[in-house]
Amino acid sequence: MMPQSTQQVIMDSDFFLEADSFCVVSARRVGTPGLHRLLCHDDKEVTVITTEAALADIDIIARNKEQWRLFVINCANPFYCVGFLSAIAAAMTQAGLDILLTSTFSRDLVFVPQADVDSAAKVLVQLGFKPR
């Protein structure tokens, strides 16, 4: 069960859908990091989430075949909301949706396959998020 305070934070938070579609790639090298939406590197590879137009900037090892869309969630209380991401992930899972979920300093990012945009938006609204 979700804590009452988490439900309140959700109800005080909003979201919007970015206009671009995104590709997910594994890269050896990225020329200009600022061209891309998200980069994450570890000891194995660099994962890049980027637009089709920016792929030429990347030395690609592998690419996910689907186009992904991004829901940006503006959390009303970043860092201090137990179960916030869990609530999103559980609701998306319950709806049968595949997601890529990550966070930045002040926002949470939910990537969904292009085909699932409408369903994912409905899930967020049903959880209590306000569309912006």
Side-chain angles (χ1 to χ4, degrees), residues 29 55 61 72 95 107:
R29 184 191 58 74
L55 286 175
I61 297 169
V72 177
R107 290 178 160 167

Side-chain angles (χ1 to χ4, degrees), residues 61-83:
I61 297 169
R63 177 180 169 184
N64 188 295
K65 64 184 180 198
E66 293 87 15
Q67 290 288 308
W68 292 73
R69 297 293 304 277
L70 171 57
F71 287 96
V72 177
I73 298 176
N74 295 303
C75 180
N77 194 18
F79 288 100
Y80 304 101
C81 186
V82 174

Side-chain angles (χ1 to χ4, degrees), residues 98-112:
D98 190 13
I99 64 170
L100 174 65
L101 179 62
T102 190
S103 297
T104 66
F105 189 87
S106 60
R107 290 178 160 167
D108 295 301
L109 309 175
V110 182
F111 292 90
V112 301

Side-chain angles (χ1 to χ4, degrees), residues 2 6 10 22 25 49 57 81 83 90 100 126 131:
M2 187 181 344
T6 301
I10 288 171
F22 295 92
V25 302
I49 300 177
D57 182 62
C81 186
L100 174 65
Q126 288 170 347

Side-chain angles (χ1 to χ4, degrees), residues 2-120:
M2 187 181 344
Q4 190 66 25
S5 60
T6 301
Q7 185 60 52
Q8 186 60 55
V9 171
I10 288 171
M11 291 175 13
D12 292 341
S13 301
D14 65 29
F15 74 92
F16 65 92
L17 179 66
E18 290 244 338
D20 289 326
S21 293
F22 295 92
C23 308
V24 182
V25 302
S26 172
R28 285 183 198 87
R29 184 191 58 74
V30 176
T32 309
L35 289 177
H36 311 287
R37 189 62 168 93
L38 184 71
L39 282 84
C40 181
H41 60 89
D42 59 23
D43 61 338
K44 180 180 175 184
E45 66 194 1
V46 178
T47 299
V48 183
I49 300 177
T50 193
T51 62
E52 192 87 31
L55 286 175
D57 182 62
I58 304 168
D59 182 6
I60 298 172
I61 297 169
R63 177 180 169 184
N64 188 295
K65 64 184 180 198
E66 293 87 15
Q67 290 288 308
W68 292 73
R69 297 293 304 277
L70 171 57
F71 287 96
V72 177
I73 298 176
N74 295 303
C75 180
N77 194 18
F79 288 100
Y80 304 101
C81 186
V82 174
F84 189 82
L85 295 177
S86 176
I88 295 167
M92 295 289 183
T93 299
Q94 185 71 27
L97 303 177
D98 190 13
I99 64 170
L100 174 65
L101 179 62
T102 190
S103 297
T104 66
F105 189 87
S106 60
R107 290 178 160 167
D108 295 301
L109 309 175
V110 182
F111 292 90
V112 301
Q114 175 69 42
D116 295 331
V117 167
D118 292 339
S119 297

